[in-house]
Structures are given as structure tokens and as C-alpha cells.
């Protein structure tokens, strides 16, 4: 990886025409003069949630490769710096600090988990550096703690290409009640920011539609034995289990639930939307459902080349949930850099702080067709793309069964 080392005595980094070398030892850019800029990626790249985390990393990598190949920003070469947060908030915060401290980093993509994002936002905001998550869905991140009654954007540096749990939870509740004709739901969450928030919204919307939440319960991340929970579900008379959390626990819950003679579907959010869920649960996953952001990537013509590239490269992880949204988040940062360079007479600003600040402002103005659909952000930093899709396990694979937008009434 190319690391810029030309630093002025004042501590400001000289970014322009530094003649950095490419990985093969050759000069990059016109006349050998080039600037290398870094886009940070933070996600769980090992352990729990790594299937979707790796999809984020490689979605960003393909976007950078495409930008470099197409010389999207003349005189600038981009690279990825991927850091593993292991789905741990404290690690995410440390990673954010490391990215801010790297004076070649112009922005960051990630994290996967909303709870991790909460610890990272202030770090990026303090450096006036853009952060775009392809997967965070908790409404508080963009609209504040009192988002249901008084929306206030906490950080102007934070954006996301994924829509919020307010819409996802409502969309799931509407599908469960109106299409699946389920009337009695048992609601469980993993006590985490994402899972608890999503379950709460499903709970509220399901009851609002006329359904009954027969019981609620909680599990801990890392739990393996759900025997007592299965007993509660069985005795409750529920015709649906709604789960707020990730695939690690839910895949075991559905297997133990079906093995225990409780033959009802488990319905969850995008944290479950991964091939690992089906691989772990096996035949027990048949008929289970999830909601995920946007429309299926494999139905979007613009995503065709992305998917082919991902497969051809042999990248690990699952691109299906957030790969395209990571690609678009990365592209939004790259396009913002281009706008900042164009506004500076075609030169990369020599002051990294000025460049970072300019990128934040330009990302807010984003308006382009990405591989996941239209990429633009509202006044809170939320995506204007409100599409959601319900997927169901059919014959051992996720199959899209309905795409639309939530009607919260």
C-alpha cells in the first residue's frame, strides 16, 4: 500500500504532486505526479457479523478500483484502508481515531453496526471528516434521541445509504399482518442498539395495525442455547417470531425452535440477511423472512458488473445485503473529492483539513445514479431512497417476495 510521507514542518500534509509510487514501483498519474488519498472502511471483518462486514469492505474496494481505472479524479489515486471492529463499539472508536490520525484519509465508509457507529460519530465530527454507513439503520444516528417527536441532526459529517428502522420495522409489520395474515407475534431482541430499536418499532407498528404482541423477550449476543426461549414461544400461542438482531443468534434460534416443534416463521431485519443464516440453520430456515434495504441488487442493471466483478475476484463475504450500498457510499466520497478538486482549480487542496471539510459539504449535495439506485441525502444525512424488500427462504436460498416502501399511516 502507498503511504504518503511528505509532511510540512507545520504538520499539514502536502497532497499535491508528490509523485507517490504505485504498488509496482511505478509513478502514477500524469507525468508521474500523483496524489494518493485513502478511504477508510470500518466493519466486522472477523468473527460475528463478518459475512456482511466483508461484503462492505469489498464493495468499497471495487468502487475504488473502478474510480482508479476510469481516472475519475485526474491526478488522484485512491486506496482502501480496511479496519476490523469485530462488531465492538470500543474497537470501532479506536479505529475511527486511527483513520482520523492518518493524514491521507479523506473519508470513511461504515460501520456495519449502529451501536458501533454511536462511538465513532463524535470522532469523525471532531475532525470534520465524512462518514457514510451502508448499513446503519437506527434512526437516532441521524435524527437524534428524540427522533419520534423532535428530529435534530446530531452530526453533519454522518450520512447513510441505508434507510432507517422506522421504515424497515414498519414495512415488516405491514407485511406480517397484511400479507402473511399473522395476528399474534412474539418479539425478541439482542439488547443491542440495532436489534432493540428494530424490535421496538416492529412491536409498535404491528399493534397499531391490529396485531397482538403476545410476549417480548431478550437474548444476549453470543448465546448458543435458547431452550428456555423456545419453551416460552411454544406456550405463547404465537404464529410469528419477530427477531431484532443479527444472523449469529437468529439462525440458532430458528433451528432450536423448529427442532422443539414450534413450526412458525422467524422474521427479522437486514442483520439476518446473509447466506450464513441459511447455512447455519439448514432446513429449519425454510420459510423464514427478512427485510433489507433497497431493491435486490441482482435485479438492478447497474449492479450487474459489480456482482460479476465480486464473484470473479473470489471475494469472501456476502455482497447481497450491503455490497452495492458500500460501493455507492464510497463513490459518493470519491465524487465529493472530485468536486473539491474542481473547485480548487483542478488541484488537490494541500491542507487535509480543508479537503476533508470540503468533502463533507460536497457529499451533502450528492445527486447521482448509483448501482443501488438514486444516491442523495436529505437534511438529516439519510438516504432519499426509501425502498425496502422482503426476502423469504425458499429451497435453501433467499428469494425476494415483495419490494416497496413502508406505509406508517
Amino acid at each position: 500500500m502507498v503511504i504518503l510521507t511528505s509532511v510540512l514542518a507545520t504538520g499539514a500534509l502536502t497532497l499535491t504532486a508528490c509523485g507517490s509510487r504505485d504498488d509496482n514501483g511505478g509513478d502514477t498519474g500524469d507525468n508521474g505526479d500523483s496524489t494518493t488519498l485513502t478511504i477508510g472502511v470500518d466493519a466486522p471483518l472477523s468473527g460475528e457479523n463478518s459475512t456482511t462486514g466483508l461484503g462492505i469492505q469489498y464493495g468499497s474496494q471495487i468502487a475504488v478500483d473502478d474510480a482508479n481505472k476510469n481516472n475519475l479524479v485526474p491526478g488522484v489515486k485512491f486506496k482502501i484502508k480496511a479496519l476490523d471492529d469485530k462488531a465492538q463499539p470500543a474497537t470501532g472508536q479506536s479505529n475511527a481515531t486511527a483513520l482520523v490520525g492518518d493524514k491521507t484519509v479523506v473519508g470513511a465508509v461504515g460501520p456495519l453496526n449502529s451501536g458501533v457507529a454511536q462511538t465513532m460519530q463524535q470522532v469523525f465530527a471532531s475532525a470534520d471528516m465524512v462518514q457514510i454507513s451502508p448499513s446503519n439503520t437506527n434512526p437516532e444516528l441521524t435524527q437524534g434521541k428524540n427522533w419520534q417527536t423532535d428530529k435534530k441532526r446530531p452530526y453533519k459529517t454522518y450520512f447513510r445509504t441505508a434507510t432507517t428502522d422506522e421504515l424497515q420495522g414498519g414495512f415488516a409489520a405491514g407485511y406480517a399482518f397484511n400479507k402473511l395474515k399473522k395476528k399474534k407475534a412474539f418479539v425478541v431482541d439482542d439488547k443491542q442498539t440495532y436489534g432493540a430499536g428494530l424490535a421496538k418499532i416492529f412491536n409498535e407498528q404491528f399493534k397499531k395495525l391490529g396485531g397482538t404482541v403476545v410476549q417480548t423477550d431478550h437474548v444476549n449476543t453470543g448465546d448458543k442455547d435458547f431452550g428456555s426461549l423456545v419453551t416460552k414461544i411454544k406456550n405463547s400461542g404465537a404464529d410469528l417470531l419477530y427477531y431484532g438482531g443479527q444472523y449469529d443468534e437468529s439462525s440458532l434460534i430458528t433451528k432450536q425452535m423448529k427442532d422443539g416443534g414450534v413450526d412458525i416463521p422467524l422474521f427479522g431485519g437486514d442483520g439476518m440477511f446473509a447466506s450464513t443464516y441459511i447455512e447455519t440453520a439448514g432446513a429449519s430456515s425454510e420459510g423464514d423472512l427478512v427485510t433489507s434495504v433497497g431493491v435486490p441488487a441482482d435485479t438492478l442493471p447497474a449492479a450487474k458488473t459489480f456482482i460479476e466483478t465480486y464473484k470473479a475476484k473470489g471475494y469472501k463475504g456476502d455482497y447481497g445485503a450491503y455490497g452495492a450500498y458500500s460501493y455507492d457510499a464510497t463513490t459518493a466520497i470519491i465524487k465529493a473529492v472530485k468536486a473539491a478538486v474542481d473547485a480548487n482549480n483542478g488541484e488537490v487542496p494541500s491542507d487535509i483539513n480543508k479537503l476533508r471539510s470540503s468533502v463533507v459539504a460536497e457529499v451533502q449535495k450528492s445527486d447521482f445514479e448509483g448501482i443501488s439506485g438514486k444516491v442523495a441525502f436529505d437534511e438529516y444525512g439519510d438516504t432519499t431512497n426509501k425502498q425496502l424488500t422482503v426476502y423469504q427462504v425458499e429451497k435453501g436460498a433467499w428469494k425476494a417476495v415483495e419490494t416497496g416502501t413502508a406505509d406508517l399511516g
Side-chain angles (χ1 to χ4, degrees), residues 388-399:
L388 291 154
T389 299
V390 174
Y391 297 85
Q392 188 166 29
V393 180
E394 293 186 14
K395 298 179 180 178
W398 289 115
K399 180 180 178 181

Side-chain angles (χ1 to χ4, degrees), residues 239-314:
D239 54 13
L240 175 77
L241 171 62
Y242 187 81
Y243 181 76
Q246 307 290 338
Y247 59 78
D248 303 274
E249 290 75 35
S250 58
S251 59
L252 298 178
I253 291 173
T254 198
K255 189 175 191 318
Q256 293 175 30
M257 184 172 71
K258 307 294 174 52
D259 289 347
V262 187
D263 191 19
I264 62 174
L266 188 152
F267 199 164
D270 53 331
M272 278 174 46
F273 184 44
S275 55
T276 305
Y277 177 84
I278 299 172
E279 293 163 4
T280 302
S284 298
S285 66
E286 194 72 14
D288 288 351
L289 307 103
V290 297
T291 49
S292 191
V293 297
V295 302
D298 57 9
T299 67
L300 295 166
K304 181 180 178 182
T305 301
F306 166 79
I307 295 171
E308 290 174 349
T309 300
Y310 198 104
K311 292 178 178 178
K313 291 280 189 179

Side-chain angles (χ1 to χ4, degrees), residues 13 19 33 63 66 75 85 122 128 130 151 189 210 212 230 234 249 284 308 349 368 373 385:
L13 182 68
D33 290 333
D66 285 350
D85 64 30
Q122 179 62 55
D128 204 13
V130 75
K151 294 182 180 181
D189 69 70
T212 300
V230 169
K234 190 171 188 176
E249 290 75 35
S284 298
E308 290 174 349
F368 65 94
N385 182 354

Side-chain angles (χ1 to χ4, degrees), residues 5-62:
T5 56
S6 176
V7 182
L8 295 178
T10 58
L13 182 68
T14 300
L15 294 171
T16 55
C18 54
S20 57
R21 314 289 290 184
D22 66 19
D23 293 339
N24 297 317
D27 288 330
T28 59
D30 297 333
N31 302 318
D33 290 333
S34 170
T35 298
T36 298
L37 297 177
T38 306
I39 296 174
V41 174
D42 176 89
L45 307 179
S46 63
E48 291 188 357
N49 311 157
S50 61
T51 296
T52 42
L54 289 167
I56 290 173
Q57 176 186 353
Y58 293 123
S60 290
Q61 184 64 60
I62 294 172

Side-chain angles (χ1 to χ4, degrees), residues 126-318:
S126 296
D128 204 13
M129 190 169 87
V130 75
Q131 172 189 13
I132 309 178
S133 173
S135 55
N136 294 161
T137 52
N138 187 277
E140 289 186 16
L141 296 172
T142 49
Q143 300 168 25
K145 291 186 178 297
N146 299 318
W147 63 270
Q148 289 180 302
T149 56
D150 184 23
K151 294 182 180 181
K152 289 182 179 178
R153 186 176 186 177
Y155 303 102
K156 71 180 179 66
T157 52
Y158 178 86
F159 301 81
R160 53 178 153 204
T161 50
T163 195
T164 70
D165 289 334
E166 178 184 18
L167 300 179
Q168 187 173 188
F171 191 61
Y175 189 83
F177 187 81
N178 296 317
K179 299 297 177 69
L180 297 179
K181 304 300 181 183
K182 301 299 183 182
K183 307 303 179 187
K184 295 186 291 183
F186 194 113
V187 179
V188 178
D189 69 70
D190 64 359
K191 303 180 186 176
Q192 301 301 302
T193 301
Y194 161 73
L198 184 60
K200 180 175 183 290
I201 293 165
F202 176 89
N203 187 328
E204 293 171 352
Q205 291 298 319
F206 191 71
K207 289 189 290 188
K208 186 176 179 180
L209 290 168
T212 300
V213 174
V214 294
Q215 195 171 337
T216 62
D217 207 341
H218 314 278
V219 299
N220 297 306
T221 56
D223 283 355
K224 305 294 183 185
D225 183 356
F226 300 100
S228 61
L229 175 63
V230 169
T231 299
K232 292 177 185 177
I233 297 169
K234 190 171 188 176
N235 293 336
S236 73
D239 54 13
L240 175 77
L241 171 62
Y242 187 81
Y243 181 76
Q246 307 290 338
Y247 59 78
D248 303 274
E249 290 75 35
S250 58
S251 59
L252 298 178
I253 291 173
T254 198
K255 189 175 191 318
Q256 293 175 30
M257 184 172 71
K258 307 294 174 52
D259 289 347
V262 187
D263 191 19
I264 62 174
L266 188 152
F267 199 164
D270 53 331
M272 278 174 46
F273 184 44
S275 55
T276 305
Y277 177 84
I278 299 172
E279 293 163 4
T280 302
S284 298
S285 66
E286 194 72 14
D288 288 351
L289 307 103
V290 297
T291 49
S292 191
V293 297
V295 302
D298 57 9
T299 67
L300 295 166
K304 181 180 178 182
T305 301
F306 166 79
I307 295 171
E308 290 174 349
T309 300
Y310 198 104
K311 292 178 178 178
K313 291 280 189 179
Y315 286 145
K316 296 179 181 179
D318 190 340

